Amino acid sequence: MNIALILSGGRGRRMGGDLPKQYVPVNGRPILLYSLETIATDEKIDAVQIVAETSWQGRVAEWLKDMASSAAENADIRKKFRGFSLPGENRQLSILNGLRDIRGYASEEAFVFIHDAARPLLSHGQIRDCLAEAEGHDGVLPVLPMKDTVYYSEDGKEVSLLKRERLFAGQAPEVFRLGPYLAANERLLPERILNVNGSTEPAVLAGLDVVMIPGDERNFKITTKEDLERFRQMKIERPMTGGGNSR
């Protein structure tokens, strides 16, 4: 079983404005819906769990209902949606809340596909690649190579050169086997989980078998106003639907 856990509980403080970034409309559609429709219509995804604030859950549920009735290829969206989880104090605690809710209906061997609602350009190809590589491992991390020369300094003065070819930038979506990953997160409670910076960190700390695969530069995260404008300029009306191979 493959379950998508969509993180839509952030408040987007760096963006400013009244709306959390994942709910800002672009071409008449909240940003969340771009990746949500891609995920929910993908043949590899069996269930969808969404982390969202209580105040937004009703609106998201209405959007799901509208999506399911808008086109024949969207008919399975309502069947796949399994419920909402509450956001935590930080991103990783939001993930933990989602994992615990998913454990109520999925086995420990299920794969959880973790994606940010603010990454609207997820492709069916990336979904397929992540899930295919997860077989036989505890997790999968998409990465991008570093393009710039990277330096390191402990005191801000003395500079050391790092080997760029050995450095990678982590991306979403990440995929983890539910049982081991849930246990890895719970081992960091109550304090250490507050300092986690990336979804893969608990898996690495627990010594889980996580493999890297090539990421997708197009699948960027909308964090700043400049990111939002970049997405708007792409003039994307709606995501590709179905389980095809497009990237």
Side-chain angles (χ1 to χ4, degrees):
M1 187 177 191
N2 300 322
I3 305 105
L5 177 60
I6 301 176
L7 304 178
S8 190
R11 297 177 181 177
R13 292 184 179 92
R14 279 177 285 182
M15 280 276 293
D18 298 327
L19 290 177
K21 59 191 175 184
Q22 64 271 26
Y23 301 126
V24 172
V26 175
N27 292 334
R29 294 163 56 84
I31 287 170
L32 162 68
L33 295 196
Y34 286 86
S35 60
L36 176 56
E37 186 172 21
T38 302
I39 288 169
T41 59
D42 195 282
E43 61 186 14
K44 298 292 185 181
I45 300 296
D46 302 303
V48 176
Q49 187 83 23
I50 301 176
V51 174
E53 294 278 1
T54 303
S55 59
W56 280 96
Q57 291 179 9
R59 244 178 292 189
V60 174
E62 284 298 316
W63 294 333
L64 281 166
K65 182 179 178 181
D66 291 342
M67 285 169 57
S69 61
S70 65
E73 65 266 28
N74 293 349
D76 287 340
I77 288 177
R78 291 172 72 180
K79 295 179 183 178
K80 290 184 179 183
F81 176 61
R82 300 300 292 265
F84 291 104
S85 298
L86 292 175
E89 187 176 341
N90 68 352
R91 184 178 185 273
Q92 202 61 34
L93 283 170
S94 293
I95 290 174
L96 179 57
N97 288 346
L99 295 174
R100 285 171 166 172
D101 290 338
I102 289 170
R103 187 64 185 90
Y105 58 82
S107 75
E108 292 191 350
E109 293 303 306
F111 283 111
V112 179
F113 181 97
I114 301 173
H115 190 64
D116 296 306
R119 290 184 187 267
L121 294 174
L122 176 66
S123 70
H124 290 291
Q126 189 73 57
I127 294 173
R128 182 195 64 238
D129 292 347
C130 285
L131 292 173
E133 292 298 325
E135 292 296 332
H137 302 282
D138 294 319
V140 169
L141 170 65
V143 297
L144 296 175
M146 299 296 292
K147 295 181 178 180
D148 298 320
T149 303
V150 181
Y151 298 93
Y152 172 77
S153 175
E154 289 191 6
D155 58 7
K157 296 179 181 179
E158 186 174 340
V159 178
S160 299
L161 181 64
L162 299 178
K163 293 186 177 181
R164 183 173 58 190
E165 64 273 15
R166 295 185 181 181
L167 299 175
F168 301 89
Q171 262 199 324
E174 294 126 311
V175 177
F176 302 101
R177 198 176 298 276
L178 176 56
Y181 187 59
L182 174 57
N185 279 271
E186 290 182 328
R187 278 197 289 270
L188 299 180
L189 294 172
E191 299 295 335
R192 292 177 67 194
I193 199 167
L194 297 175
N195 298 317
V196 170
N197 294 311
S199 307
T200 302
E201 189 174 332
V204 173
L205 291 173
L208 300 185
D209 173 21
V210 179
V211 294
M212 296 191 306
I213 66 169
D216 181 356
E217 289 192 7
R218 194 166 177 268
N219 185 29
F220 65 92
K221 186 175 183 180
I222 296 177
T223 302
T224 66
K225 292 180 180 179
E226 290 74 20
D227 296 329
L228 178 59
E229 185 58 28
R230 176 186 173 190
F231 180 53
R232 282 182 170 146
Q233 292 300 319
M234 298 176 83
K235 296 183 172 60
I236 296 172
E237 295 183 2
R238 68 193 298 265
M240 294 287 291
T241 55
N245 295 335
S246 64
R247 273 197 181 278

